[in-house]
Amino acid sequence: EDQVTQSPEALRLQEGESSSLNCSYTVSGLRGLFWYRQDPGKGPEFLFTLYSAGEEKEKERLKATLTKKESFLHITAPKPEDSATYLCAVQDANTDKLIFGTGTRLQVFP
Amino acid sequence: EPEVTQTPSHQVTQMGQEVILRCVPISNHLYFYWYRQILGQKVEFLVSFYNNEISEKSEIFDDQFSVERPDGSNFTLKIRSTKLEDSAMYFCASSHDRGVYEQFFGPGTRLTVL
């Protein structure tokens, strides 16, 4: 059964304090791994798609990486506006649906 | 920038009543989805819709649920007889086509069943 596990559940950072969020996954065949940002009461906002091990993508202070078993979302010098829940989702080779993890709730304090 | 829109933003209903949640996907997208998120839990897939028919559905999507694309722009989710446990945020999403395309989500409809 496809599964996605994210850690930590919550992360508190000081502004400028870099860190990483983890997403471990189990799928029969990975078609794609997706990162989304979700603000309270809002829909998930697309950030990145990663397709194969070794791939990396960057956007402003965020960088996503992928291995055969996990993905990391690195946040460099975060700002308070980066506070949100970050969701990881996988798409199995046999389906188009996304399977989500429970997310990491990030709080960045000034 | 094109976006997925959903109406209403909040729907309150009595148990046993029918509700219809509406979505307008991004205009050139061909593949549509409904997901839901119970408060404090993960986002869960309900159903996908392609070429005017259901492509895939989850165990949650039982006979009480139906989807429809009544015209060229709207995509609806109907719950025939709501239950207390249907209370959740319902998200519509769309993607350009099948396969590894990004799914773009709407802002959601918060459904409260009393």
Side-chain angles (χ1 to χ4, degrees):
Chain A
E1 184 183 332
D2 298 341
Q3 205 165 5
V4 178
T5 304
Q6 292 188 246
S7 62
E9 287 186 10
L11 184 61
R12 293 163 57 98
L13 298 174
Q14 205 69 34
E15 184 172 3
E17 180 186 1
S18 302
S19 189
S20 296
L21 284 55
N22 177 263
C23 171
S24 300
Y25 64 91
T26 305
V27 292
S28 55
L30 182 69
R31 180 181 273 179
L33 184 142
F34 302 81
W35 281 98
Y36 287 85
R37 169 189 170 128
Q38 186 176 31
D39 292 301
K42 302 287 180 62
E45 175 190 343
F46 171 75
L47 294 174
F48 302 108
T49 309
L50 300 167
Y51 300 97
S52 57
E55 189 174 2
E56 298 182 353
K57 287 196 177 170
E58 285 188 67
K59 180 180 179 179
E60 295 180 357
R61 296 176 292 283
L62 299 176
K63 177 180 173 181
T65 61
L66 181 66
T67 72
K68 288 187 177 178
K69 293 186 177 180
E70 57 191 351
S71 176
F72 292 93
L73 185 66
H74 307 277
I75 180 160
T76 303
K79 298 182 178 181
E81 53 262 40
D82 294 321
S83 297
T85 296
Y86 290 85
L87 304 175
C88 173
V90 297
Q91 191 178 49
D92 186 284
N94 300 313
T95 179
D96 292 302
K97 70 183 180 187
L98 296 180
I99 299 167
F100 282 85
T102 51
T104 293
R105 189 174 70 254
L106 174 67
Q107 292 178 292
V108 182
F109 296 92
Chain B
E1 185 175 324
E3 59 184 19
V4 177
T5 59
Q6 291 185 243
T7 54
S9 57
H10 191 189
Q11 173 97 45
V12 181
T13 189
Q14 294 290 326
M15 189 170 55
Q17 294 296 304
E18 174 182 288
V19 295
I20 298 175
L21 310 183
R22 292 182 167 79
C23 166
V24 178
I26 294 173
S27 62
N28 63 343
H29 283 188
L30 301 177
Y31 209 169
F32 315 118
Y33 311 80
W34 284 102
Y35 291 82
R36 79 173 186 188
Q37 186 175 32
I38 295 171
L39 189 63
Q41 297 186 23
K42 61 176 69 175
V43 177
E44 301 175 286
F45 169 79
L46 292 178
V47 66
S48 58
F49 192 84
Y50 180 78
N51 202 22
N52 282 320
E53 62 182 21
I54 290 175
S55 179
E56 187 177 0
K57 59 184 180 180
S58 72
E59 293 174 354
I60 303 167
F61 194 89
D62 61 21
D63 292 343
Q64 293 301 311
F65 291 86
S66 62
V67 289
E68 193 179 31
R69 187 153 164 84
D71 53 44
S73 58
N74 290 284
F75 179 51
T76 62
L77 174 69
K78 181 193 290 186
I79 309 175
R80 272 183 258 284
S81 178
T82 51
K83 304 172 189 169
L84 295 176
E85 54 264 38
D86 293 328
S87 295
M89 281 286 282
Y90 287 80
F91 296 111
C92 174
S94 69
S95 63
H96 180 70
D97 205 332
R98 311 192 72 162
V100 194
Y101 289 94
E102 296 81 9
Q103 295 181 22
F104 294 92
F105 284 74
T109 293
R110 179 173 300 283
L111 176 65
T112 302
V113 182
L114 302 176

